[in-house]
């Protein structure tokens, strides 16, 4: 990669950031497209996020992806925010304009829909109820994306029922407690795990997946491990599955377009690169 005085700079900010997969994806796309651009990781101390972002206003960088723990702060400091970022109550993309203003966006929900389109091409969010497990930022983004995609029956299942109700109410969705999961699964066309349960080292949720129809698609936002306990359970039942790595790549596509002004080239297999980085 050659870097010139005109190189377009974007990156990802979080803490910790060293395990972020985003630099691998974006730099592979930049190289394959022969573009004069670079994508770098920024590790910022908690408490210094706003000062860091403010210092970049006016075109110093073209954009940033934002990851934990700064997605809420990113939305709060932006001058404008898209509907999906406001609905998700979190931003994973900041676009820096020449006039010094910042636009916040959230492409996680779009990434989830792209993952379904890629790994479960027959899936139609309009075809029936979809179930989302969890009530954090990931769940909000997913719920907004399904509503925007035309799903008329979104069901949010969460350990803390009140948090599911908070998300469900403004979207016209339904809320269920974890012990009502079987009821929520009845007739579902898809189930999406947006909880942190099942992340490497944390115990998996114990869910009655057999209550879903055989045609239901089961997705997990977690990609470490790639085959989460939930996806393994789904496979055991013969259900079609969608993994979190497809969503990670799916959210990176619109990020790349926002930062570099063009669609990432298809000539490079970024999933293969990501699998290698995960040691798979
Ligand atoms: P995000 O990263 O999407 O913002 P978060 O805010 O960390 O996620 O939220 C994590 C979600 O996982 C929550 O919905 C949490 O349930 P509660 O709202 O009841 O806390 C859920 N979660 C985490 N561990 C869980 C477990 N062991 N069992 C059930 N739910 C769990």
């Amino acid at each position: 990669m050659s870097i010139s005085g005109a190189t377009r700079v974007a990156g990802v900010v979080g803490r910790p950031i060293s395990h972020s997969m985003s630099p691998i994806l974006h730099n592979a796309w930049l190289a394959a497209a022969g573009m004069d651009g670079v994508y770098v990781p920024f590790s910022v101390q908690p408490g210094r996020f706003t000062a860091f972002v403010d210092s970049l206003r006016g075109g110093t960088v073209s954009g940033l992806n934002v990851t934990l723990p700064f997605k809420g702060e990113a939305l709060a400091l932006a001058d404008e925010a898209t509907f999906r970022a406001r609905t998700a109550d979190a931003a994973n993309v900041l676009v820096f304009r020449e006039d010094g203003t910042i636009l916040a966006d959230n492409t996680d929900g779009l990434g989830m829909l792209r993952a379904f389109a890629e790994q479960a091409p027959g899936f139609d969010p309009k075809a029936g109820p979809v179930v989302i497990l969890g009530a954090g930022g990931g769940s909000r983004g997913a719920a907004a994306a399904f509503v925007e995609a035309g799903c008329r029956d979104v069901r949010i299942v969460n350990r803390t029922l009140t948090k599911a109700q908070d998300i469900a109410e403004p979207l016209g969705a339904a809320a269920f407690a974890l012990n009502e999961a079987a009821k929520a699964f009845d007739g579902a066309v898809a189930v999406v795990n947006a909880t942190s349960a099942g992340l490497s080292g944390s115990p998996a949720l114990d869910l009655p997946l057999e209550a879903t129809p055989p045609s239901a698609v089961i997705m997990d936002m977690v990609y470490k491990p790639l085959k989460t306990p939930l996806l393994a359970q789904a496979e055991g039942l013969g259900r079609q599955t969608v993994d979190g790595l497809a969503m990670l790549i799916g959210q990176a596509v619109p990020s790349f377009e926002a930062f570099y002004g063009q669609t990432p080239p298809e000539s490079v297999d970024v999933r293969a690169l990501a699998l290698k980085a995960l040691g798979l």
Side-chain angles (χ1 to χ4, degrees):
M1 186 196 308
S2 71
I3 294 179
S4 76
T7 297
R8 194 183 267 233
V9 181
V12 57
V13 54
R15 187 115 175 166
I17 201 64
S18 60
H19 296 294
S20 172
M21 209 75 83
S22 296
I24 296 168
L25 306 178
H26 287 270
N27 287 309
W29 281 328
L30 287 166
M35 289 168 64
D36 188 5
V38 67
Y39 184 98
V40 288
F42 294 107
S43 173
V44 171
Q45 288 178 357
R48 295 188 188 274
F49 177 76
T50 301
F52 168 73
V53 172
D54 274 337
S55 75
L56 303 173
R57 285 179 186 265
T60 308
V61 298
S62 59
L64 290 175
N65 281 123
V66 183
T67 185
L68 298 179
F70 301 123
K71 287 183 171 191
E73 268 180 272
L75 178 69
L77 66 69
D79 303 283
E80 253 181 81
T82 59
F83 167 78
R84 55 197 188 201
R86 279 182 273 122
T87 311
D89 202 21
N92 74 319
V93 173
L94 294 175
V95 176
F96 293 71
R97 298 168 171 145
E98 289 291 334
D99 68 2
T101 60
I102 296 174
L103 171 72
D105 195 7
N106 193 312
T107 60
D108 284 336
L110 209 58
M112 179 194 69
L113 294 177
R114 291 184 77 106
F116 271 96
E118 191 192 322
Q119 296 191 336
F123 169 74
D124 176 5
K126 297 189 199 75
V130 301
V131 179
I132 302 166
L133 308 169
S139 168
R140 283 179 183 275
F146 279 129
V147 170
E148 276 195 316
C151 177
R152 276 173 295 180
D153 188 352
V154 174
R155 303 170 177 178
I156 298 167
V157 177
N158 197 45
R159 180 173 60 183
T160 312
L161 178 61
T162 51
K163 281 169 72 181
Q165 287 166 333
D166 286 348
I167 299 176
E169 202 194 340
L171 290 172
F176 296 82
L178 212 44
N179 62 10
E180 300 173 304
K183 205 165 97 190
F185 288 165
D186 186 38
V189 293
V191 175
V192 175
N193 177 34
T195 73
S196 40
L199 272 170
S200 305
S202 77
L205 294 174
D206 182 19
L207 293 163
L209 269 193
E210 61 282 356
T212 59
S215 57
V217 182
I218 315 298
M219 189 211 166
D220 206 321
M221 291 192 182
V222 170
Y223 64 88
K224 273 185 208 174
L226 187 63
K227 189 184 286 189
T228 62
L230 180 77
L231 295 187
Q233 185 190 357
E235 273 184 21
L237 290 166
R239 304 290 189 271
Q240 207 177 348
T241 61
V242 175
D243 65 46
L245 187 56
M247 173 168 164
L248 179 80
I249 296 168
Q251 64 75 35
V253 171
S255 303
F256 187 93
E257 289 166 352
F259 302 157
Y260 301 107
Q262 51 181 285
T263 302
E266 283 175 19
S267 55
V268 54
D269 184 354
V270 289
R271 184 175 171 92
L273 295 175
L275 288 172
K276 201 169 145 207
L278 288 169
L280 298 170

